[in-house]
Amino acid sequence: MPYEQYEDKIRPTGRKSTKEPRYSPYCDFVYYESTRTPGVMLAARIVKPSRPSYIVAGTHGWHMSIPKFENMMQPEPGNDYLRVEVDMRGRIFSDGAADCNGWELYDVIDAVEYARKAYADYIVDPDIVYFEAGSGGGGNAMAIVGKFPDYFAACTALCGISDYALWYEQDVTGEFRDELDVWIGGSPADMPTAYRSRSGLELVGNLLTPMYLAHGETDIRVPSVHSRRYANRAAEAGKSALVRYDELPGVGTRDHWGHATEAMMERVRRESERNRLDHRTPVRIPGEGTFKVGGYLFTKHFSVVLDSLDKVADLRYDLASGTFDVFCETECVYTLSFGGETQVRRATVVR
């Protein structure tokens, strides 16, 4: 697939008020309701393969929205997947307010669940779901595998943002700070924990999904230190076997792929695809262990939702005994769902 879509050169304006689904043989434009925010209608573009395959979900660049509907009479060249392109909340086609890796990441899960039902005939195995995105979407990729650690069988993060506080400071022209101030609610100096809770770097210890990262060495708008630090932090957490990182030497200007050769981009495409081909089984969480909770954590067995997206907590769990203990730096109430029951509990404060 073309990676120019992640350059984020266009800042669309004008929210679309009409929500009429559109259909064609190989591309649909659909709407679905958020399960986290009832009444909020969200959009996704569905690109269909020529024969049943696997789901690849993805999100757009920071300033962008998904592409418009295309009346596609033939399969998209080079596409072998059911692609679910998610327009996150608050963007051009979707209702709600953007929140930078807050509930907008759950919009991806809602879109995939919608596709599993509506496009079942196009899916080989609904339990195998992949994620691939770049730039702002690459930041989504690094965080979504930390907040949904057993949902994706493999993930690709291209030129992604791993630390939003660092990115805020690196934004010398202010082209991203204006949204960060609004979408998160303030600056890193004012809200350091809110920035941590949204950053994949904070959640890398949760990693169970095999990751492929690629970044241009001299990228200006999202510096390569973001992918480099993510890979290094994963190694420190004993997760190096799950992360492969390609840094493209001399690549990156104000375009993420500036100076890249076609051979370089072909390697990125090939390695991203290899990460999917090598991982055709669902991820499983251990029966007991620990997770970092950045606002919320959802697994196939349980979920923990803190009383604020802006908080970070540590979870210790044991599925066999049904034991869940949450430790937070501040006063915090959380909602635990496990075994068909939901409880509201108070976290242990650890300072």
Side-chain angles (χ1 to χ4, degrees), residues 15 17 30 84 163 224 244 349:
R15 183 78 64 86
S17 57
V30 300
V84 181
D163 182 341
S224 56
R244 290 190 296 113
V349 178

Side-chain angles (χ1 to χ4, degrees), residues 18-295:
T18 58
K19 293 180 173 56
E20 297 180 3
R22 304 284 301 278
Y23 302 97
S24 71
Y26 292 98
C27 178
D28 296 343
F29 202 98
V30 300
Y31 292 90
Y32 58 99
E33 186 175 8
S34 166
T35 61
R36 297 304 310 182
T37 317
V40 167
M41 296 302 295
L42 305 165
R45 196 175 84 138
I46 310 294
V47 180
K48 292 172 273 189
S50 59
R51 59 182 181 273
S53 185
Y54 298 90
I55 300 170
V56 175
T59 50
H60 42 75
W62 182 258
H63 292 129
M64 300 171 69
S65 284
I66 55 175
K68 296 179 180 179
F69 167 76
E70 180 180 347
N71 187 17
M72 201 176 290
M73 303 305 293
Q74 300 294 329
E76 184 178 65
N79 175 51
D80 295 320
Y81 294 96
L82 180 70
R83 292 197 173 266
V84 181
E85 301 173 351
V86 182
D87 195 59
M88 292 186 294
R89 59 184 58 207
R91 287 10 181 243
I92 290 296
F93 302 103
S94 294
D95 294 338
D99 57 13
C100 183
N101 283 354
W103 288 122
E104 66 185 24
L105 292 184
Y106 208 100
D107 298 343
V108 176
I109 307 304
D110 280 341
V112 171
E113 295 303 314
Y114 174 92
R116 277 175 166 160
K117 297 177 182 177
Y119 295 90
D121 291 344
Y122 291 89
I123 301 170
V124 170
D125 186 343
D127 292 328
I128 306 299
V129 181
Y130 301 113
F131 190 90
E132 177 179 287
S135 191
N140 298 149
M142 291 173 172
I144 203 167
V145 294
K147 296 194 178 197
F148 303 89
D150 60 355
Y151 197 87
F152 298 97
C155 179
T156 294
L158 306 173
C159 43
I161 305 132
S162 66
D163 182 341
Y164 287 98
L166 175 63
W167 197 44
Y168 190 100
E169 299 304 325
Q170 292 170 325
D171 182 20
V172 294
T173 65
E175 66 171 316
F176 305 114
R177 288 185 182 185
D178 52 355
E179 286 99 356
L180 284 164
D181 284 332
V182 174
W183 294 356
I184 296 181
S187 70
D190 295 329
M191 306 179 68
T193 308
Y195 277 75
R196 285 170 50 207
S197 76
R198 289 163 165 83
S199 296
L201 193 67
E202 179 75 12
L203 307 175
V204 74
N206 296 351
L207 191 63
L208 297 172
T209 299
M211 294 284 288
Y212 172 65
L213 313 179
H215 215 128
E217 175 194 19
T218 54
D219 191 336
I220 294 173
R221 296 170 78 224
V222 180
S224 56
V225 65
H226 285 271
S227 291
R228 203 177 306 130
R229 284 189 179 182
Y230 187 92
N232 290 341
R233 183 73 62 85
E236 292 168 3
K239 307 281 185 175
S240 56
L242 290 172
V243 178
R244 290 190 296 113
Y245 174 42
D246 278 341
E247 188 167 295
L248 282 60
V251 170
T253 55
R254 289 200 62 78
D255 291 345
H256 296 308
W257 309 118
H259 303 312
T261 65
E262 180 53 38
M264 288 176 170
M265 298 312 301
E266 179 55 33
R267 173 182 170 79
V268 171
R269 285 187 284 268
R270 184 176 65 250
E271 292 303 306
S272 178
E273 176 65 359
R274 182 162 76 91
N275 192 41
R276 289 186 285 269
L277 293 175
D278 287 348
H279 300 100
R280 293 294 205 219
T281 57
V283 169
R284 301 183 186 280
I285 66 170
E288 60 181 303
T290 61
F291 283 120
K292 183 79 70 174
V293 183

